[in-house]
Amino acid sequence: MNYHFTGEDAIPSPALIYYRDPIEANTHLTVQMAGDPERLWPHIKTHKMAQMLKIQLSMGIHRFKCATCQELRLACESGATDCLWAYPVVGPNVERFLSLMEEFPRVHLYALADDLDACALLGQAALARKRTASVLVDVNMGMNRTGIAPERLYDAYRALSALPGVSVRGMHCYDGHIHDRGLNERLAHADACARPVFAVRDALIRDGLDVGIMIMGGTPTFPCHARHPGVFLSPGTLFVSDAGYAAAFPDIPVVPAAAVLTRVISHPADGLFTLDTGYKAVSADPVGARGQLAGYEALCDDVLSSEEHWVFRMRPGHEHKRPSIGSVLYVIPTHICPTTCLYDAAYVVSDGRLCDLWPVAARDRVHMQPDREALS
């Protein structure tokens, strides 16, 4: 893909660029792979943008998963019908969640639960408002980040379902630890993790409990769970994609549709060139290469990075191809999700031209003013 566009010379660098045409193509492909947009319950943490939600809504996707309260609000404001706050709701977030339930009564909001005591507090707070909070039970599929292990899931689900003030509606099953490059290996791995969960689901249904919602997987296992009828599919990065996923999962044929515009600012020594894009402009997560320099992947190597600088060395035999000072280049981030959060807006390109500016609307956290009398 050619990431250059008409109007790039006027954009201060570093800058985040989103490419609308491949984003729309990626979204169409995602719907096609799912078989029906009604099956999709994607995460919005990759982009946090109202305009991205509008594209997905226009293609029939209307359920969304969120990591933060601000993302949840954005999805509700944008026209979602169902939203899951896919993060344990504790502390002040309990009241924030319940307030959003009251503010957006037409949106079905779901909280995540993996602890009996925490869920009981949510139920008590809901009852105090004369409400019932809808809950999905978080399942630990093997990532060991959050959730209830499958061997404890049956008893825990029944116990959570008995709590006053909450209505347990199903399960959230994120298998983010599965990164097998080969599709067959990934299929086998995902099936092995899902099999005991499906067995518990079936047992709970036989007991008369509501397990109507099953949200499965993320981007890497999206093709795996698409084979299972009756489950919702939860890709996130898929719609924008990045260099990391493009390299790791060649069976998912989406195009990286975001880049960081950067410029060469120095030739500090023979064969070296420095970009104005440090790790304050491209996420340092995960360990390893932070991104691919489009068009230069086989010509140079990353030798040094810091807050505002990124130094490359031309490989032997390619020194004459070193980009001149002032050249506009493009970095395809290894991980687009935290890279997007480094910017308050993305420049948008369509048909090779700059066409819009999309705010990263849910980027910021909400802060409370301190009690200044208590501090004095």
Side-chain angles (χ1 to χ4, degrees), residues 121-144:
L121 291 175
L122 173 63
Q124 292 168 16
L127 288 174
R129 292 173 177 249
K130 295 181 172 55
R131 295 189 173 272
T132 299
S134 295
V135 166
L136 297 186
V137 174
D138 193 23
V139 182
N140 182 356
M141 303 292 286
M143 193 175 185
N144 294 326

Side-chain angles (χ1 to χ4, degrees), residues 43 65-69 72 84-97 110-116 118-119 122 135-139 145-148 172 365:
H43 212 309
K65 198 164 78 171
C66 309
T68 69
C69 188
L72 194 64
L84 167 65
W85 192 349
Y87 202 82
V89 180
V90 300
N93 280 342
V94 170
E95 292 298 331
R96 296 172 76 193
F97 175 77
Y110 303 86
L112 205 61
D114 70 355
D115 181 84
L116 192 65
C119 193
L122 173 63
V135 166
L136 297 186
V137 174
D138 193 23
V139 182
R145 188 172 68 179
T146 62
I148 299 168
H172 171 253
R365 305 280 182 175

Side-chain angles (χ1 to χ4, degrees), residues 367-376:
H367 300 286
M368 297 182 64
Q369 289 291 335
D371 184 341
R372 300 195 181 278
E373 290 187 4
L375 294 175
S376 61

Side-chain angles (χ1 to χ4, degrees), residues 153-159 161 171 198-211:
L153 182 58
Y154 177 83
D155 290 337
Y157 197 101
R158 289 181 63 90
S161 297
M171 302 181 190
F198 286 141
V200 173
R201 176 200 62 181
D202 294 344
L204 291 167
I205 291 174
R206 286 194 298 270
D207 290 347
L209 276 75
D210 181 0
V211 199

Side-chain angles (χ1 to χ4, degrees), residues 113-242:
D114 70 355
D115 181 84
L116 192 65
D117 292 338
C119 193
L121 291 175
L122 173 63
Q124 292 168 16
L127 288 174
R129 292 173 177 249
K130 295 181 172 55
R131 295 189 173 272
T132 299
S134 295
V135 166
L136 297 186
V137 174
D138 193 23
V139 182
N140 182 356
M141 303 292 286
M143 193 175 185
N144 294 326
R145 188 172 68 179
T146 62
I148 299 168
E151 59 269 21
R152 298 192 297 109
L153 182 58
Y154 177 83
D155 290 337
Y157 197 101
R158 289 181 63 90
L160 289 164
S161 297
L163 290 173
V166 300
S167 174
V168 179
R169 304 290 306 281
M171 302 181 190
H172 171 253
C173 309
Y174 177 62
D175 47 15
H177 62 298
I178 299 178
H179 289 101
D180 304 88
R181 177 178 172 83
L183 177 58
N184 289 337
E185 291 79 8
R186 213 176 323 133
L187 284 167
H189 197 169
D191 284 351
C193 291
R195 198 172 298 117
V197 178
F198 286 141
V200 173
R201 176 200 62 181
D202 294 344
L204 291 167
I205 291 174
R206 286 194 298 270
D207 290 347
L209 276 75
D210 181 0
V211 199
I213 297 173
M214 295 287 290
I215 303 177
M216 306 294 295
T219 294
T221 55
F222 170 62
C224 308
H225 299 301
R227 301 175 308 126
H228 300 298
V231 304
F232 291 103
L233 309 169
S234 189
T237 308
L238 190 62
F239 303 92
V240 182
S241 194
D242 53 30

